[in-house]
């Protein structure tokens, strides 16, 4: 019975036995040797650098935006200069010299014509007075002289009042013209300043739009280079 339960001992497997019993196919061994030799040759060669472009150049729109920004810098200066000049002119005070600049040159001519007409009428009345004086025995008398003097005085007074009124009207008109001109200059100065600011703003907006467009173009080119 004991003999029936006895088993054969398992043969001992050693590292030496595994190596001795493992055969590498010739084609594997030969291929490995060829790869090794090729690797040695490649290791001896210089590394081939990639000499094609790697970074996308600045796009045309980006270059245009740089130029636009450069050109737009200070472009508002002429508008600002004009606005400052108009504002300064509007701040000019009212005085006699300024009034003479705004006086209507035709106002005096009109007054002179009216004064001459008054003198002509006075001369006619004087002739009538002289013609009637002999009938009353007053020609050349003191009474006749008083009447002539009174006529001259009244004529001078009327002409003086007419010139004074004309001067006052001309002065008032000049003041109104001055105020209107000053208001117009202030408005023009504000408009010029606003135009300068608008030109600058629109110029930079254009530059920003070109920059954005150019950036998208450059990114697309960069993706192509990366690929």
């Amino acid at each position: 019975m004991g003999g029936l339960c006895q088993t054969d001992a398992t043969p001992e497997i050693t590292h030496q036995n595994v190596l001795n019993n493992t055969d590498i196919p010739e084609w594997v061994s030969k291929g490995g040797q060829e790869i090794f030799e090729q690797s040695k040759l490649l290791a001896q060669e210089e590394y081939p650098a990639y000499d094609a472009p790697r970074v996308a150049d600045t796009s045309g729109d980006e270059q245009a935006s740089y130029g636009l920004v450069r050109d737009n810098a200070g472009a508002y200066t002429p508008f600002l200069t004009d606005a400052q000049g108009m504002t300064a002119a509007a701040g000019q005070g009212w005085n006699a010299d300024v009034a003479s600049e705004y006086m209507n040159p035709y106002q005096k001519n009109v007054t002179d014509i009216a004064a001459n007409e008054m003198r002509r009428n006075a001369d006619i009345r004087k002739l009538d007075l002289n013609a009637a004086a002999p009938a009353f025995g007053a020609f050349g008398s003191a009474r006749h002289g008083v009447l002539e003097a009174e006529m001259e005085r009244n004529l001078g007074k009327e002409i003086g009042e007419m010139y004074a009124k004309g001067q006052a009207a001309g002065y008032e008109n000049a003041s109104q013209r001055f105020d209107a001109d000053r208001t117009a200059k202030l408005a023009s100065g504000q408009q010029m300043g606003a135009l300068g600011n608008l030109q600058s703003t629109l110029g930079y907006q254009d530059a920003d739009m070109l920059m954005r467009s150019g950036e998208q173009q450059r990114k697309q080119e960069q993706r192509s280079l990366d690929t």
Side-chain angles (χ1 to χ4, degrees):
M1 293 294 293
L4 292 176
C5 294
Q6 187 177 0
T7 60
D8 296 335
T10 303
E12 181 180 0
I13 300 175
T14 64
H15 180 66
Q16 183 67 33
N17 291 336
V18 172
L19 290 179
N20 290 337
N21 295 330
T22 301
D23 294 332
I24 300 176
E26 181 179 359
W27 64 272
V28 175
S29 176
K30 184 176 181 181
Q33 292 177 359
E34 291 178 353
I35 292 175
F36 180 76
E37 294 297 331
Q38 292 175 0
S39 300
K40 288 173 58 179
L41 294 175
L42 289 174
Q44 295 173 358
E45 295 179 358
E46 294 185 1
Y47 181 78
Y50 181 79
D51 56 358
R54 298 177 179 175
V55 179
D57 292 334
T58 305
S59 67
D61 282 351
E62 286 178 312
Q63 291 290 348
S65 71
Y66 298 155
L68 188 58
V69 170
R70 189 180 302 106
D71 295 339
N72 193 58
Y76 60 87
T77 302
F79 294 93
L80 182 60
T81 301
D82 291 342
Q84 289 174 338
M86 292 177 182
T87 303
Q92 184 180 19
W94 175 256
N95 52 49
D97 292 335
V98 176
S100 64
E101 296 178 4
Y102 287 88
M103 291 287 285
N104 188 345
Y106 299 101
Q107 181 69 41
K108 186 176 182 301
N109 295 336
V110 173
T111 306
D112 289 342
I113 293 174
N116 291 334
E117 184 65 18
M118 292 174 66
R119 291 188 183 96
R120 190 180 71 83
N121 292 332
D123 291 339
I124 293 174
R125 290 197 301 271
K126 187 182 294 184
L127 291 174
D128 293 340
L129 175 65
N130 292 336
F136 298 99
F139 186 78
S141 65
R143 182 171 177 271
H144 181 264
V146 170
L147 291 176
E148 284 188 337
E150 185 67 15
M151 289 180 62
E152 290 291 338
R153 189 185 71 81
N154 290 337
L155 175 63
K157 180 181 179 181
E158 291 175 359
I159 291 177
E161 289 178 350
M162 183 178 63
Y163 270 104
K165 291 179 180 179
Q167 186 72 11
Y171 191 85
E172 180 65 23
N173 180 262
S175 177
Q176 294 175 356
R177 293 177 61 192
F178 172 78
D179 290 338
D181 191 28
R182 180 171 57 182
T183 301
K185 287 178 179 178
L186 283 173
S188 296
Q190 294 174 351
Q191 289 178 354
M192 294 300 290
L195 285 174
N197 182 62
L198 179 61
Q199 183 193 46
S200 180
T201 300
L202 293 178
Y204 286 121
Q205 285 182 356
D206 289 344
D208 183 64
M209 292 177 62
L210 283 173
M211 175 62 72
R212 293 175 183 271
S213 174
E215 184 179 5
Q216 292 299 322
Q217 297 173 31
R218 179 169 50 80
K219 286 182 178 180
Q220 180 62 35
E221 178 64 20
Q222 186 62 54
R223 284 192 289 267
S224 299
L225 293 176
D226 292 343
T227 300

